[in-house]
Amino acid sequence: MHSPMHRRHAGSHGESPPETSGLLLDLGWRYDLMVGAIDLVTGGRLRALRRKSLDLAELRPGEAVLDVGCGTGTLALEAQARVGDAGRVVGVDPAPKQLARARAKATRRGAPVEFRLGVIEALPFPDASFDAALSTLMMHHLPDDLKRRGLAEIARVLKPGGRLVVVDAEHPGHAGQRGHVGAGSLGIDEIVGLMDSAGFACSEVTRARLLPFPRLGRVGLVVGRCRP
Ligand SMILES: C[S@@+](CC[C@H](N)C(=O)[O-])C[C@H]1O[C@@H](n2cnc3c(N)ncnc32)[C@H](O)[C@@H]1O
């Protein structure tokens, strides 16, 4: 889930991506094609992972939800169906083609999801704006220091007691190592430690098989609750 990537790229949809040391994945509709193909060969594992992530977030009608690194918006659109018309869902990603695809899908479905160009390290929202936040398969796109900063930003924009669900690789490997994925080397167990330092009380990691590749072969899902 991490190729081709760009650190910076001239936007072809009228928006320029913000500066970030995270790895953009700017595939637009090709991303959805890839996800569909993965679901086909794995018997729907990505679809099941999205459902499980939303179950863990315990979304309720009327809640405000943030999807960070939302890609083409599939999860955000499913979150909207759970919070309903009285709720609010916002997806943030620095990749213009991903966002253009997400917005087109929202328009086609008449879903009031807002998709904003932005980065996890500088979320464009006031403190305590959201009841829940989601981050699926994006943490490995960030260098490890950015994971720390990003988690602190999510804690800032969540209300006290707000939930964060993180899904990411168990073992992304180390930079330069064969099969390494992404921009850092911390896997889900270390991310739990970072979440704790950022002010979250975390649950046990739930593990799941994902892709037939060594480094994204297994993922972990964890829920953090923002300590008041
Ligand atoms: C593998 S995709 C995951 C997309 C989606 N969450 C999903 O589950 O399908 C990782 C996403 O993280 C985004 N990303 C990279 N750097 C980021 C940053 N600094 N802040 C927020 N998102 C970032 C990429 O552009 C990409 O869309």
Side-chain angles (χ1 to χ4, degrees):
M1 311 287 285
H2 66 113
S3 175
M5 291 174 176
H6 321 261
R7 286 198 190 270
R8 199 163 157 77
H9 147 108
S12 55
H13 289 79
E15 289 179 301
S16 291
E19 283 285 358
T20 180
S21 53
L23 298 176
L24 273 61
L25 180 52
D26 204 11
L27 294 174
W29 62 268
R30 290 182 188 83
Y31 184 76
D32 284 343
L33 198 65
M34 183 175 82
V35 166
I38 290 171
D39 261 337
L40 203 63
V41 297
T42 62
R45 280 197 203 138
L46 282 170
R47 205 170 42 236
L49 195 64
R50 278 198 300 275
R51 208 167 35 236
K52 179 78 183 163
S53 307
L54 294 173
D55 289 348
L56 287 173
E58 296 180 5
L59 303 181
R60 291 183 287 269
E63 287 194 320
V65 183
L66 173 67
D67 183 6
V68 185
C70 63
T72 56
T74 307
L75 182 72
L77 288 164
E78 291 177 16
Q80 178 68 49
R82 297 208 183 192
V83 299
D85 287 343
R88 176 188 183 212
V89 178
V90 186
V92 168
D93 201 287
K97 285 186 202 158
Q98 301 285 81
L99 278 194
R101 171 79 178 167
R103 287 172 182 150
K105 281 156 62 177
T107 302
R108 213 163 43 233
R109 293 176 204 185
V113 180
E114 191 188 328
F115 289 105
R116 309 241 326 229
L117 199 71
V119 289
I120 191 171
E121 59 268 39
L123 292 169
F125 309 104
D127 297 358
S129 299
F130 296 96
D131 299 289
L134 308 163
S135 155
T136 60
L137 303 176
M138 68 83 61
M139 279 286 157
H140 66 280
H141 281 245
L142 309 177
D144 295 331
D145 66 313
L146 204 54
K147 292 183 177 74
R148 277 186 200 92
R149 286 168 51 203
L151 288 167
E153 262 298 87
I154 293 177
R156 180 185 68 75
V157 302
L158 277 177
K159 298 173 185 172
R163 293 93 65 199
L164 166 63
V165 175
V166 175
V167 180
D168 207 54
E170 262 195 330
H171 304 294
H174 293 279
Q177 193 179 29
R178 189 178 157 81
H180 169 253
V181 291
S185 57
L186 302 181
I188 194 71
D189 289 323
E190 291 93 357
I191 289 171
V192 171
L194 298 186
M195 287 171 69
D196 184 67
S197 306
F200 292 95
C202 294
S203 66
E204 286 294 302
V205 176
T206 307
R207 294 167 206 271
R209 268 166 52 76
L210 185 59
L211 301 179
F213 309 144
R215 294 299 174 194
L216 273 177
R218 288 180 63 81
V219 293
L221 302 87
V222 63
V223 188
R225 277 179 191 272
C226 222
R227 286 192 288 263

